[in-house]
Amino acid sequence: LSALPISNCRVPDARVPRPLPPGPKGLPFFGSLFELLADPLGFLTERPRDYGDVVRFRFPRTTYIVVNDPDAIHHVIVDRAENYPKSRQYDGLRLFLGNGLVTSEGAFWRRQRKLVQPAFHPKKIGAFAPAMVRAGEVLLARWEDHARSGRSFDVADEMQRVTFQIAGETLFSINLDDSSQAMGKAMAIAQRYANDYVTTPFRIPRSIPTRKNREFDLALRTLDGIVYRILEERRSGDAHDDLLSMLVRARDEETGEGMSAEQLRDEIVTLISAGHETTANGLAWTFYLLARNPDVDARLAREVREVLGDRPPTLADLPRMPYVRWTFEEAMRLYPPVWGFEREALEEDEILGYRIPKGASVGVLTYALHRHPRFWPEPETFDPERFSPERSERRHRYAYLPFGGGPRICIGNGFALMEAQLLLAQIVQRYRLELDRAHPVEIEPLITLRPKHGIFTRLVAR
């Protein structure tokens, strides 16, 4: 269906004036800012139900338009992608990601994407499967103490740790396990700071040593310290056939110049962040949902047992375990790691009969899109069979965007899906996870959708 002509989204005819999208008026100057800050997910999910699939919000200094229709989203990120570069809201991300693949634009982004793309070819990432399984075995060995003691532990933190280890070994040929906790804490602080940077109407300059500014500066030094250590170890160590070596060896086709240390730093921080945190969050929410849905957990465990028995999984096993993939995909529907993304209209446009003003920020709220009742019946129900071929074949391709879409689709989506399936199969093969009710779970919608206080669970042997 996504290939069908899109007739409702077009460049406006100046002879026919179009109305602005409807939406809440909010307060003078502040608009709907305080409602957004109080409950971002609830506020942005409910408003399309009230006003339709194109909604206009008023925020300080910003006209913000949410599109919650797959055809409209296709128009923004594919048909007229050149008119919708990333919005100014990404300035917060640039504070710690720099000018890497996620935040760069134009010719520079195309050059970097072309450079990095070969490392994520399906044959290349397929070779990473044994390393992912080894990391899972290390994780399970570490969990034996938890199983014996019966103590609860934070599975979200554990997923951050194992995916960080996998990113280090597969992308950079280095063991980063000793840095995982420091990196995770620094990333969380940086994300909160970036989120506050773009939502507050009155910014305090970074030069003023407030508590938040000091925390962010320390987090930035932590990130830089880890990255520059990786670069230093590579310069003084053996050559490797990995992504880092490709970046270090890369030369501009016209000038012959390589990337500066700063450019390398930005790409590495971006790849570490995107290469472990989003998958870790997706897996953490998967175990949360499995603990709340024992029937799904039992079916998943049965499939894994029938295919694997007691042996570790391999890449060749994944096509034989479709329910493993469906389970992770359904978890990313309900809790998409990247819960929204934004573009900015360079020129006036028209979407679904509404005028999009020049300079407006256009948001795609994946969290809301994945709960659209037109495409997802009983949207709050955890049902992995939604992703079976029979139920998926007529669903609009742009109704499900856990990795984005169009030219800027996540370069590592294949890597993430393979990693998640292998780890999920290994863990479900051995354990069932039960929630520790003494530790309530709360969503924290920063740049990624994180469990604010972790997800504490206890292990039950299969």
Side-chain angles (χ1 to χ4, degrees), residues 103-124:
T103 52
S104 58
E105 289 283 1
F108 181 82
W109 170 79
R110 287 190 291 272
R111 172 203 173 202
Q112 297 297 95
R113 177 89 178 199
K114 182 178 179 182
L115 174 68
V116 175
Q117 187 74 57
F120 291 93
H121 187 277
K123 289 185 178 178
K124 185 76 173 180

Side-chain angles (χ1 to χ4, degrees), residues 203-346:
R203 294 175 184 165
I204 299 175
R206 283 187 57 197
S207 57
I208 297 177
T210 63
R211 179 181 60 82
K212 286 187 176 181
N213 282 345
R214 293 196 308 272
E215 285 181 348
F216 177 72
D217 288 341
L218 178 59
L220 206 56
R221 288 196 298 272
T222 299
L223 295 177
D224 288 348
I226 292 170
V227 169
Y228 285 119
R229 174 170 67 86
I230 292 172
L231 286 172
E232 185 61 31
E233 290 184 8
R234 175 52 51 88
R235 290 192 182 99
S236 59
D238 298 329
H240 295 276
D241 183 23
D242 57 16
L243 178 60
L244 180 55
S245 293
M246 293 174 62
L247 295 176
V248 171
R249 291 194 303 262
R251 293 293 179 268
D252 186 275
E253 293 179 355
E254 296 181 1
T255 66
E257 294 180 356
M259 278 191 275
S260 66
E262 183 178 1
Q263 285 176 304
L264 285 168
R265 177 262 177 217
D266 292 348
E267 294 299 353
I268 292 171
V269 172
T270 297
L271 287 165
I272 289 177
S273 175
H276 94 280
E277 192 194 19
T278 52
T279 308
N281 287 335
L283 281 167
W285 291 119
T286 301
F287 288 115
Y288 170 73
L289 288 164
L290 288 172
R292 290 169 57 91
N293 294 270
D295 54 333
V296 175
D297 179 82
R299 177 174 172 180
L300 179 64
R302 185 166 61 250
E303 179 185 80
V304 171
R305 184 171 59 251
E306 289 172 354
V307 173
L308 299 180
D310 295 328
R311 65 175 175 82
T314 67
L315 179 62
D317 292 318
L318 297 186
R320 301 168 57 207
M321 298 188 294
Y323 202 74
V324 172
R325 176 168 178 146
W326 303 346
T327 298
F328 185 64
E329 289 177 324
E330 173 71 343
M332 288 196 297
R333 181 186 70 83
L334 285 167
Y335 296 98
V338 179
W339 61 280
F341 55 91
E342 297 175 358
R343 300 292 186 260
E344 185 170 318
L346 295 181

Side-chain angles (χ1 to χ4, degrees), residues 381-396:
T381 301
F382 181 51
D383 179 12
E385 287 197 46
R386 295 180 198 272
F387 290 90
S388 66
E390 297 77 17
R391 292 175 62 181
S392 297
E393 61 181 359
R394 293 194 59 80
R395 185 181 301 125
H396 197 301

